[in-house]
Amino acid sequence: VMPDNMTEERRATMRVYGAELVSVTKEEGMERARDLALEMQADGRGKVLDQFANFDNPGSHYVSTGPEIWRDTKGTITHFVSSMGTTGTIMGVSRYLKEMNPDITIVGVQPTPGSSIPGIRRWPKEYLPKIFEESRVDMVLEVDQKEAEEMARRMAREEGVFCGISSGGTVAAAMTLSAQVENATIVTIVCDRGDRYLSTGVF
């Protein structure tokens, strides 16, 4: 179940796995897609794994991503910047890093009002993921859709990293943060591929 403005690459990938696609409108968005999936499950027409409420989602980042960041920065990380889609990454990494050093700043990234960035959400309160704990995020930075798209293009051209739009957004936010702080070790994650967005014309 997905909004009908999801890229053709994403839809084609689901078909490869044998999925029957059910669409909601762009205007209804992921909120309606989530509701419809739960309605279908209640009618016995499927099973919702629900990454928004599955605590294995942040749990996997607590046991893997967080320790990897701590190890690879040799404990010098000062800021962790992450998109907030399902919020699994930021919740799990925050929990681990704060246990290692409570002074590490956890930064969430949200789209500016009116921006549409796949993977970065500004959830209405009633749709906040059940795994989300506001206390685990120290500050929130906003990123504009055009800024995220331009950074994704720059990442490919200048760094040879063909990333998705959400990754462009988090890197843009990390760059903004870097201009505001000194002597910092800032970490963010490129967690989406650019080839999922070729049909959009962004690249």
Side-chain angles (χ1 to χ4, degrees):
V1 182
M2 59 176 64
D4 58 13
N5 64 321
M6 291 287 116
T7 66
E8 182 52 39
E9 291 88 349
R10 286 173 178 263
R11 303 171 75 82
T13 299
M14 297 308 296
R15 291 190 194 99
V16 168
Y17 287 113
E20 173 190 342
L21 300 184
V22 177
S23 296
V24 299
T25 66
K26 172 184 177 182
E27 291 71 27
E28 290 174 314
M30 278 301 297
E31 289 82 357
R32 176 57 185 154
R34 289 169 61 184
D35 287 343
L36 180 56
L38 292 173
E39 291 169 15
M40 293 174 67
Q41 177 177 254
D43 291 340
R45 293 187 289 152
K47 173 68 175 173
V48 179
L49 300 180
D50 199 354
Q51 59 185 333
F52 302 97
N54 186 336
F55 283 87
D56 285 340
N57 181 354
S60 66
H61 294 286
Y62 175 77
V63 300
S64 61
T65 315
E68 180 181 353
I69 292 170
W70 182 258
R71 182 193 68 228
D72 288 358
T73 62
K74 296 181 172 56
T76 62
I77 177 174
T78 58
H79 299 75
F80 176 66
V81 180
S82 177
S83 61
M84 294 199 294
T86 69
T87 71
T89 302
I90 195 168
M91 289 296 99
V93 171
S94 174
R95 178 183 161 204
Y96 180 85
L97 291 179
K98 289 290 192 178
E99 288 178 1
M100 303 306 291
N101 179 1
D103 292 331
I104 293 172
T105 301
I106 307 298
V107 183
V109 181
Q110 289 184 338
T112 56
S115 290
S116 177
I117 306 172
I120 303 182
R121 292 301 308 262
R122 178 189 292 273
W123 293 110
K125 265 196 173 169
E126 62 271 25
Y127 284 95
L128 277 172
K130 287 185 172 63
I131 60 174
F132 179 68
E133 299 175 62
E134 188 174 0
S135 62
R136 295 198 183 279
V137 179
D138 297 312
M139 64 181 292
V140 174
L141 292 177
E142 292 187 343
V143 65
D144 179 81
Q145 181 177 345
K146 289 183 179 179
E147 185 182 12
E149 292 173 351
E150 176 55 27
M151 184 57 75
R153 290 190 288 268
R154 284 187 58 194
M155 289 285 286
R157 280 196 318 267
E158 300 173 22
E159 303 295 337
V161 177
F162 189 20
C163 69
I165 313 307
S166 63
S167 297
T170 55
V171 171
M175 294 290 285
T176 297
L177 178 65
S178 72
Q180 301 172 357
V181 296
E182 295 181 353
N183 302 316
T185 300
I186 301 170
V187 176
T188 191
I189 297 177
V190 173
C191 55
D192 196 7
R193 305 190 319 266
D195 60 341
R196 294 180 176 185
Y197 303 95
L198 285 172
S199 63
T200 67
V202 167
F203 294 100

